[in-house]
Amino acid sequence: MACDQGFIGISMTNSESITVHTNSKEALLGSNPIAFAMPADPYPFWFDAATAVVPRGKLEVYNKENKPLEPGWATGDDGKVSTDAQYVLDCIVGDSCGGILPLGGYGELHGGHKGYGYAMICEIMCAITSLGATSNHNIRQKNVGAGTCHSFIVVDPAI
């Protein structure tokens, strides 16, 4: 909507913790998507992406199809890469073990720490600045709000 009015628009949302940050064993951050839009001629620039390497739904599809996950998508409770979709999904809904990796994948070699940093920026802008629920306290329950927090920023490029 901001872009349609000639402004730069930035939107972020935190979510339940499914993402294991770099060199960790526990999912503490959400997939925390970030969207950005800027008017431009002849076409506006739009970008919208989660900060996790894949969405939870992709793990669910791989599990239904009995396919192994791609190495570097997820870890188990030992902090090591796991290709077992059902195991990782159980970790996500369990107490505290494993989960989906941040953009860049496992460790720092391919930039996993950068995806973790983006997820943290989103977490700070959504939950911390609003005094809301951080991803690790964002729990989906039937007929109960999850505590998801959002951040909306509009910038007037004419300023």
Side-chain angles (χ1 to χ4, degrees), residues 43-111:
Y43 304 105
F45 174 77
W46 294 77
F47 179 77
D48 183 0
T51 58
V53 73
V54 292
R56 177 180 175 170
K58 187 164 283 246
L59 272 63
E60 292 168 349
V61 168
Y62 273 61
N63 185 50
K64 286 179 183 174
E65 295 176 353
N66 285 327
K67 290 171 49 176
L69 300 177
E70 295 293 326
W73 280 5
T75 63
D77 62 358
D78 57 0
K80 300 203 185 308
V81 171
S82 175
T83 58
D84 184 336
Q86 183 62 61
Y87 170 66
V88 175
L89 287 167
D90 289 345
C91 283
I92 289 171
V93 298
D95 286 331
S96 61
C97 71
I100 300 171
L101 290 162
L103 284 174
Y106 186 79
E108 297 177 37
L109 181 62
H110 298 289

Side-chain angles (χ1 to χ4, degrees), residues 11-62:
S11 175
M12 301 177 217
T13 301
N14 77 344
S15 60
E16 65 182 319
S17 49
I18 63 170
T19 303
V20 178
H21 65 276
T22 307
N23 301 321
S24 177
K25 296 179 183 179
E26 185 177 349
L28 291 175
L29 296 171
S31 59
N32 296 1
I34 300 172
F36 180 96
M38 184 183 94
D41 187 29
Y43 304 105
F45 174 77
W46 294 77
F47 179 77
D48 183 0
T51 58
V53 73
V54 292
R56 177 180 175 170
K58 187 164 283 246
L59 272 63
E60 292 168 349
V61 168
Y62 273 61

